[in-house]
Amino acid sequence: MVATHPPEAPAAAAAPAAPAQARAARRGPHRRLLPSPHAQGMLALLVTVTIWAAFALSARALSASSLLPADAALLRFGVPVLVLLPALWRRRRRIAAVRPGPALKIVCGAGVPFFLAAMHGGALTSAAFVGSIVPGMVPLFVAALMTARGHRAPRGTQAVGLALIAVGVLALVWRYVVPVDTGVLAGAGILLVASGLWALYTVGLREIDLDPVGSIGLLCLPSFAVIALLVLTGVLPTGLAHAAGGDIALFLVVQGLGVGLCAGLLYAFAIRRLGPGRSSTVGSLSPVAVVLLAMPLLDESPTLAVAIGVPLITAGVVLANRRPKPKVPADA
């Protein structure tokens, strides 16, 4: 094609643009290597879902390891405190300023009571139960807590989602009702308690003004102190001194670094990149991931109850986390 501008115009334009082109040439390839904010959020969320699935698997695997529940709790709450100690020291005044009510919800909801309930319930049931009941029932418990505090009861799609969650849990446990399997039913009941505690933790997080690191400190500092006191006084037995090195390393990575540290930070990062709605929807894949991973890692075969219950719970969580779109004014 023939240029329509005079010959001197390109040269004139090129002169001032040369430095900018040089800078772009230097930075361009590096910028293209970085994923988009959406891709970063999705990657963080997928890693978080994997960590949540690993938590469910470790809850089931604990009964077959050389560690006791108190040992796993020491690793779960102690490792984040040790890693984040300098950052927590800088936030000590903000952490200490949290009101007792919300702090108690967080420490009880995701601290020692929740952890021991999840571990014990997992020992009595299966990884699929832990991965489905504990996170799956949280929206239903949160809705109940918020309604009891005067908020509007869920309606429409959210109500349908909560109903699907309840039906999915019933599908999971039904085969153990007739004939009665007291061990599995007791384990399912304990997991329901753990889920209710996690819902309390979720509500408590809405009532505090701390960044993710501060929230981890508010949870782990008192939780580690409590579990250490219970172990030192002999209330809870420990076998950490005689445990296998492989078991210690596994729970240190999964519980301490994974669940205790990375999951909280990565999930907060994903919410900032994707928003809470999309994050909750993708996070609902955790039960499916648990079932798929439990097959090769724990030699668990999904039963018909699991094949029916897990998809129902997953679909229910997706619907329960949907938020109605804001109405656009007619004159807009």
Side-chain angles (χ1 to χ4, degrees):
M1 295 178 63
V2 179
T4 57
H5 40 267
E8 65 273 10
Q21 290 174 350
R23 288 195 301 269
R26 288 194 300 269
R27 294 182 301 181
H30 300 289
R31 284 188 174 180
R32 286 194 293 270
L33 290 176
L34 293 175
S36 66
H38 179 272
Q40 293 174 13
M42 287 299 298
L43 179 61
L45 192 56
L46 291 175
V47 174
T48 303
V49 169
T50 304
I51 293 172
W52 287 345
F55 171 82
L57 296 173
S58 66
R60 177 59 178 160
L62 181 63
S63 60
S65 75
S66 57
L67 293 174
L68 297 176
D71 303 327
L74 286 172
L75 296 173
R76 159 68 178 89
F77 300 112
V79 171
V81 170
L82 183 62
V83 173
L84 297 175
L85 195 57
L88 296 178
W89 177 255
R90 292 193 296 269
R91 293 165 172 80
R92 62 190 184 279
R93 291 187 177 86
R94 295 194 64 185
I95 294 174
V98 175
R99 292 179 292 114
L104 192 61
K105 292 176 184 176
I106 289 172
V107 173
C108 290
V112 175
F114 164 79
F115 186 85
L116 295 180
M119 293 296 110
H120 187 50
L124 294 174
T125 56
S126 67
F129 271 60
V130 180
S132 301
I133 293 178
V134 175
M137 285 292 292
V138 168
L140 199 151
F141 282 122
V142 168
L145 288 172
M146 301 305 289
T147 302
R149 296 175 59 180
H151 292 260
R152 192 183 72 175
R155 300 177 181 176
T157 303
Q158 293 179 3
V160 173
L162 297 178
L164 282 178
I165 292 172
V167 172
V169 172
L170 288 176
L172 277 179
V173 303
W174 181 253
R175 61 171 293 205
Y176 302 101
V177 176
V178 182
V180 175
D181 187 326
T182 55
V184 174
L185 291 179
I190 295 171
L191 292 177
L192 286 173
V193 172
S195 182
L197 288 171
W198 190 265
L200 199 65
Y201 166 71
T202 303
V203 173
L205 280 179
R206 300 179 181 180
E207 301 174 356
I208 64 172
D209 184 23
L210 291 175
D211 64 357
V213 173
S215 300
I216 291 174
L218 178 62
L219 168 64
C220 291
L221 282 169
S223 298
F224 180 72
V226 168
I227 197 67
L229 181 63
L230 293 175
V231 169
L232 291 174
T233 56
V235 175
L236 289 178
T238 177
L240 195 59
H242 308 289
D247 290 341
I248 295 175
L250 175 63
F251 278 82
L252 187 150
V253 171
V254 172
Q255 293 287 354
L257 294 177
V259 178
L261 186 63
C262 296
L265 298 177
L266 288 173
Y267 191 59
F269 177 82
I271 288 177
R272 287 196 297 269
R273 288 290 189 270
L274 303 176
R278 186 174 296 174
S279 298
S280 299
T281 301
V282 178
S284 66
L285 296 175
S286 176
V288 179
V290 171
V291 172
L292 295 177
L293 290 174
M295 294 169 63
L297 297 179
L298 298 178
D299 199 25
E300 289 188 4
S301 299
T303 62
L304 180 61
V306 169
I308 295 174
V310 169
L312 285 174
I313 293 172
T314 301
V317 172
V318 172
L319 293 177
N321 280 293
R322 291 187 64 181
R323 295 291 180 266
K325 295 181 180 179
K327 295 182 179 180
V328 180
D331 55 350

